[in-house]
Structure formats: C-alpha cells, structure tokens
Amino acid sequence: MTDVTPKNRWKLLGPGIVVAATGVGAGDLVATLIAGSRFGYALLWAAVIGTVLKIALAEGVGRWSLSTGRTIFDGWASLGPRGFNWASIYFGIYVVIWGFVYGATAMTATALPLAALFPVLDLKVWAIMAGLVGLGMVWFNSYPVFEKIMTALVAVMFVTVVGLAVIVTPDIPAMLRGLIPMLPEGAAYYTLGLIGGVGGTITMAAYGYWIMAKGWKGPGWMRVMRLDNRVGYIVTGVFVIAMMIVGAELMYAAGIALAGGDRGLLDLDEVLRERFGDVVGTLFLVGFFATTFSSLIGVWHGVSLMFADFFAHVTKRAGDEAVRGEKSPAFRGYLFWLTFPPMALLFMDRPFGLIVAYGVLGALFMPFLALTLIWLLNSERTPKEWRSGWLSNSMLAAAAVLFCVLAGRELWGLVM
C-alpha cells in the first residue's frame, strides 16, 4: 500500500463521492423538498439521522471488503445452507426486474430537465439519448475516468443546489430548532422517508466494488475508506438540508404544493423563474440534470459490476477477474439490459404485475443489506479485529429496523 499521511489522505478520496452522487436522485430531492414545504424545518433532525445511518451502512460494506479482500457478493454467497444460496436467488431475481424498470425511470428522469431546457425534442427522444450516452460513457471508460466524471457532476450539483439554498436565505434559528426531534401531526410518513430514503439504494452495496476499483486493498486503507465514506455522505446530507431549506423558505411560507416524483422539480423551476428570473431557473435545471445523470451512470457502472460478480458466482468462476471485471461480457451485457429493453417502457403504460414485483423486491433490498451486514461482520468470516463493535452493531440494527418498517409500509401500500 502507498504510504498514506493525514495530509495526502484527502487527495485519495473518490468512491464516497461516487456513491453519494449515485444515491441521491431527483426523486430524493423532491421528497426532501416536499417535506420542507409541508413542515418547514421540523424534520431536519430526521435528515441528519438518515445521513448517519447511511454512513454506518456504507462503512460496513467498505470494512467487509477491505478486511476480507472479498466482495459483498462473496459474503452473500457464503450465507445459508450448503447447496441453497438464497441470497444469490433473491439477488438474481431482483437485479433483473429492478434493472428493467429502473432503466426506464432513470432515462425519463434525466430527460425531464433536458426537455425543459431544449424543448425542440420530445421527452422520449431525450430519454433514449440519455440512456445511450450513459451506456457509451461507462462502456468506453474505466473507473478512474468514471470517477472524474462523477466528481464533476457532484460539483455542478453542489453549486446549484447549495447556491439555491443560499439565495432563498435560510432562517438559521429555525434550522437549529429543527435539529430537536419532534413529530408534527401527519409527518410520520415523511419522517420515515427522510431517514430511510435519501441516498439509500442498491448502490450502497456497490461501494465495496468501487473502492476495489480505486485500488484500495487490505486493512491498511481502512482510515482512508472511513474518511471517504463520511465525506461522501456528508455531501449527501448537505444536499438534503439544502433542498429542505428551499422547501421551507420558498414553498412553506407561500403554501405552494408540488407534484410528487421527479416532475416536482419542474414545478420548482417555474417557481424559481417567477421569483428570481430565468437565469436562476436555467441554472437549477442544469443542477437537476447533473443530479439525474449522475444517478444514471452510477447505476450503469456500479450495478453492472455487481451483476458481473453475481454471474461469476453462478458460473463457478468467482475468482476470475475477466469474468467479473469492467470489460467482462456479463458487465457489458447488464449495461445493455439497463439501456435497451427499458426503452420499450417509455412507449407504454408500465405493466401492473411488473411494477408490483419491482416494488416488492426494491422494498426488501435495504433490509436485506442491513441484516446480512450484521451477520457477516459478527461472524468468523470477518477477521476478529475488524468485526463490528457495539456502536456499529447498534447503528446497523437501527438501520435494519428502520428499513424493515419502511419495507412493511411499502408492501402494505402495494397490496392495498
């Protein structure tokens, strides 16, 4: 390992920024924006707790990878009775259905700001172009270039989202009061969503693959990984707080309602243009694009690495880098799966059965990740000195309980 000093440690960071940029999508920003527009700063504490829990989860993924030299899927493949790898079965079904639906969702989300900025093309055309550009950027570039692209997109997001929060002038005393836990009437749904939703996706599990692609191998990189992880999720927290400020200052006082989902940001664009002029509105749409496109290419890269690892295990070639690396047929095959079949969903109503399966499998993934991390990091699979202590176990257990509650709520909503 290269000598790492406190001075050069900051220069080595990167995967944490990648996972932060991928995990925060337009829908997450809208959820925070709506929470701010309905409850002001009252739920700011929930956003902070959510950030802390995500730090604990991603740290667990990184600690497993560095202390064992194995991927998270290596760990999953070791769970359960011999001959019945339930984790592989779940993940295989999940990644196929999830990828098909998410591909269409990500392309549409990326197309929304592009269609608003350049209305000369139809939304569906922009969506297809976004998918093809994302495919090309991941196909032809290795991790170091991918990381630089993601870092640039995060910089654009930071300038636009945080700049917007500064423009609307936050009420600092009200923000400080919002750090005191309280639950306004009717806020339970939004509180759970803020704690569990923002920055919590399958790409948290991809963090271990990105630190390996970065060249971090062995426990000697543990301090760098922990700093990298904290910086990444602090950036996530800053984005969340910034959007809550916008919701509280721009929407709450005026009683303006927003549409749910990604289209809520187009409603915000109209408000910004009316309040601050076209320049601010245009800059916001650029930040909106950076948010959605970073999520798109982050998933295209990270989840394709996970699928390639899954494929290597299924075919009994888990140790072969040619089978599970960035240039492997499985990696590139999943890139195609994320890009081309989902284009059909852009031209039709989404099948009800497929959406239900997508919702069920997606709701179960974060509980699956939290619970399997507790299992792996407290077993003999992890070297004794790197097993979870009381603090890590408490945080992972809290995350597991939270995500199980969120999964139950999501599943109840699907069947009712």
Side-chain angles (χ1 to χ4, degrees):
M1 188 197 88
T2 304
D3 290 335
V4 179
T5 66
K7 185 175 181 180
N8 70 10
R9 193 176 296 160
W10 289 90
K11 298 178 181 179
L12 300 170
L13 306 187
I17 294 295
V18 171
V19 78
T22 305
V24 179
D28 298 315
L29 295 185
V30 172
T32 311
L33 186 66
I34 292 177
S37 70
R38 296 194 178 191
F39 305 104
Y41 294 107
L43 300 183
L44 183 60
W45 63 273
V48 173
I49 290 177
T51 300
V52 173
L53 290 180
K54 305 307 185 316
I55 289 174
L57 278 167
E59 190 274 343
V61 173
R63 177 154 47 93
W64 162 262
S65 296
L66 291 178
S67 65
T68 66
R70 304 167 71 191
T71 66
I72 189 66
F73 202 92
D74 289 330
W76 291 339
S78 71
L79 301 177
R82 188 179 299 274
F84 179 70
N85 185 212
W86 57 271
S88 295
I89 294 171
Y90 164 73
F91 182 81
I93 297 171
Y94 169 75
V95 80
V96 171
I97 295 177
W98 181 89
F100 183 53
V101 180
Y102 180 82
T105 302
M107 287 187 278
T108 301
T110 305
L112 286 171
L114 291 173
L117 285 167
F118 309 104
V120 292
L121 295 176
D122 183 74
L123 180 69
K124 294 182 180 64
V125 176
W126 280 121
I128 291 170
M129 291 175 63
L132 293 174
V133 171
L135 172 69
M137 292 182 76
V138 175
W139 184 289
F140 294 108
N141 292 308
S142 58
Y143 176 80
V145 177
F146 165 73
E147 183 187 287
K148 288 181 173 63
I149 294 170
M150 293 291 279
T151 302
L153 290 170
V154 168
V156 174
M157 290 168 61
F158 193 90
V159 170
T160 53
V161 175
V162 177
L164 189 59
V166 172
I167 289 174
V168 301
T169 314
D171 183 342
I172 302 299
M175 287 181 64
L176 294 176
R177 290 193 295 271
L179 294 174
I180 301 172
M182 60 178 294
L183 196 64
E185 185 177 352
Y189 174 89
Y190 297 95
T191 303
L192 287 173
L194 279 176
I195 297 176
V198 179
T201 70
I202 186 175
T203 50
M204 293 192 71
Y207 182 55
Y209 295 85
W210 283 326
I211 65 176
M212 287 182 172
K214 182 78 170 176
W216 300 352
K217 296 180 180 179
W221 288 96
M222 202 71 74
R223 286 188 178 182
V224 177
M225 179 276 293
R226 284 171 168 162
L227 176 63
D228 175 74
N229 173 45
R230 289 166 189 164
V231 169
Y233 274 98
I234 287 172
V235 169
T236 299
V238 168
F239 288 145
V240 170
I241 292 170
M243 290 308 288
M244 184 166 285
I245 290 171
V246 174
E249 299 295 343
L250 204 57
M251 308 293 178
Y252 181 63
I256 300 172
L258 294 173
D262 301 337
R263 293 182 182 274
L265 293 185
L266 294 182
D267 292 346
L268 176 58
D269 173 53
E270 294 179 6
V271 174
L272 291 173
R273 290 179 187 276
E274 184 178 334
R275 178 83 175 268
F276 300 108
D278 288 342
V279 173
V280 172
T282 299
L283 290 174
F284 170 70
L285 288 176
V286 171
F288 182 178
F289 168 75
T291 300
T292 53
F293 190 61
S294 63
S295 291
L296 186 152
I297 62 174
V299 166
W300 263 229
H301 189 276
V303 183
S304 294
L305 280 175
M306 295 181 70
F307 178 82
D309 195 14
F310 159 75
F311 181 79
H313 278 84
V314 169
T315 56
K316 310 298 184 184
R317 292 179 288 175
D320 189 348
E321 186 61 25
V323 177
R324 67 180 189 178
E326 288 178 294
K327 305 303 180 184
S328 67
F331 178 91
R332 290 180 164 175
Y334 193 72
L335 275 178
F336 271 87
W337 177 251
L338 283 167
T339 307
F340 293 106
M343 289 180 183
L345 291 181
L346 301 175
F347 296 92
M348 65 176 73
D349 293 331
R350 295 180 183 179
F352 176 74
L354 183 64
I355 297 304
V356 170
Y358 171 80
V360 170
L361 291 166
L364 294 174
F365 182 79
M366 291 304 287
F368 168 77
L369 176 61
L371 291 169
T372 53
L373 277 176
I374 292 173
W375 189 344
L376 291 170
L377 294 173
N378 287 280
S379 71
E380 293 182 355
R381 297 171 181 84
T382 303
K384 188 173 182 179
E385 64 178 306
W386 298 112
R387 292 175 195 167
S388 291
W390 69 267
L391 179 60
S392 176
N393 278 325
S394 298
M395 298 296 290
L396 291 174
V401 170
L402 169 69
F403 288 120
C404 285
V405 171
L406 285 170
R409 188 193 73 186
E410 183 74 18
L411 297 176
W412 179 258
L414 287 170
V415 299
M416 292 301 293

